[in-house]
Amino acid sequence: MIEAMSHLLTIGIAALLPMCAMLAQEAQRSPIPYVRATGESEVTVKPDQATINIGVVTSAATAAAAASQNATQVTAVLDRIKKDIGDKGEIRTVGYSVNPNYVYPNPPNNNGPKISGYTASNTVRVILGDISLVGKVVDSATAAGANNINGIEFSVKDEAAVRGQALREAAVNAKRAGEAMASALGLKVVRVHSAETGEPSFVRPMQNVGMTRMAMAEARAPTPVELGNVQVRATVTVTLEITQ
């Protein structure tokens, strides 16, 4: 009798062990109580760097003539810019092309369009570490032969530092919002369970200084440059574990 009861007890314990393991796993899978909150931040800083795209566009009857004329004007423009900026900036070529110009018969016929000449285009990007030189560089470039200026973009040299500041402030705001929610519900925050964010966005001020060739030829007053602010926006979402 005793041996039979002992045998049954062993069987019962063996049957309970898998069930206990399942309950433990289920407890581990149970979601933790939490509150989730989102914080935002916008950091505004003064720009300390400027980028200008300066181009020369020339046209001629042949591709070689258009390219040669373009090279002559670009050389004059670069020499003038380099003299102005010294060691306070850098210049790099960002685009060059020589393309045919077409004329289309009117009315259309089977012969198709004809080449009427060629246009050469060369664009350089000037990155200035001294933004006080922006107006001077634009005026010098146009005086030397530049006839295609796309605009000016202001930025900051150390974007990582500004990005980090925006993320820190957004994270603090998110945590405060979550703690306020928990407090209002009579709950306590145990810890930060997780945090996530997207890539902070930069809003860089632009100044449109695009000018036609005639306007450049007629311009006498120095090009005015108005500095805006660089804005960095960040959003952080935190999940806070809570308890009663």
Side-chain angles (χ1 to χ4, degrees):
M1 174 73 72
I2 294 176
E3 290 180 359
M5 290 180 64
S6 175
H7 180 66
L8 290 174
L9 182 60
T10 302
I11 294 175
I13 292 174
L16 285 173
L17 287 175
M19 184 177 297
C20 291
M22 291 176 61
L23 290 174
Q25 293 176 0
E26 187 65 28
Q28 291 177 358
R29 288 195 296 265
S30 299
I32 62 170
Y34 68 87
V35 294
R36 181 171 293 160
T38 297
E40 297 180 345
S41 173
E42 181 176 287
V43 176
T44 300
V45 295
K46 290 291 184 182
D48 57 8
Q49 181 173 269
T51 302
I52 317 169
N53 289 333
I54 299 174
V56 173
V57 180
T58 54
S59 297
T62 66
S68 177
Q69 181 182 342
N70 191 278
T72 300
Q73 287 185 225
V74 169
T75 299
V77 170
L78 291 177
D79 289 343
R80 188 69 177 269
I81 294 175
K82 290 175 182 178
K83 181 179 179 181
D84 287 341
I85 68 176
D87 60 353
K88 297 180 180 179
E90 61 177 284
I91 306 171
R92 63 184 68 161
T93 299
V94 293
Y96 180 81
S97 65
V98 179
N99 296 308
N101 303 322
Y102 294 97
V103 292
Y104 294 85
N106 188 18
N109 56 44
N110 294 330
N111 294 328
K114 294 182 179 181
I115 295 177
S116 61
Y118 293 84
T119 296
S121 177
N122 192 337
T123 302
V124 297
R125 179 165 297 161
V126 182
I127 302 174
L128 295 174
D130 183 352
I131 56 179
S132 67
L133 295 174
V134 170
K136 182 179 182 180
V137 167
V138 170
D139 293 338
S140 294
T142 55
N147 51 21
N148 184 20
I149 299 181
N150 298 323
I152 303 171
E153 180 182 273
F154 297 100
S155 59
V156 291
K157 298 172 186 174
D158 192 356
E159 289 191 346
V162 184
R163 185 185 295 111
Q165 180 183 348
L167 285 171
R168 286 192 297 272
E169 293 181 5
V172 169
N173 292 338
K175 186 171 182 289
R176 285 176 178 171
E179 290 170 343
M181 292 168 58
S183 177
L185 297 172
L187 303 171
K188 295 180 180 179
V189 173
V190 178
R191 64 187 179 95
V192 176
H193 183 265
S194 65
E196 56 190 54
T197 182
E199 182 66 20
S201 62
F202 278 78
V203 180
R204 302 175 179 87
M206 297 284 294
Q207 179 166 349
N208 185 11
V209 294
M211 300 172 69
T212 65
R213 298 183 188 183
M214 183 177 295
M216 289 179 179
E218 294 176 351
R220 293 185 177 87
T223 300
V225 177
E226 295 182 7
L227 297 179
N229 291 321
V230 176
Q231 295 176 327
V232 186
R233 300 188 181 114
T235 302
V236 173
T237 299
V238 297
T239 301
L240 304 179
E241 184 178 342
I242 56 173
T243 186
Q244 294 286 347

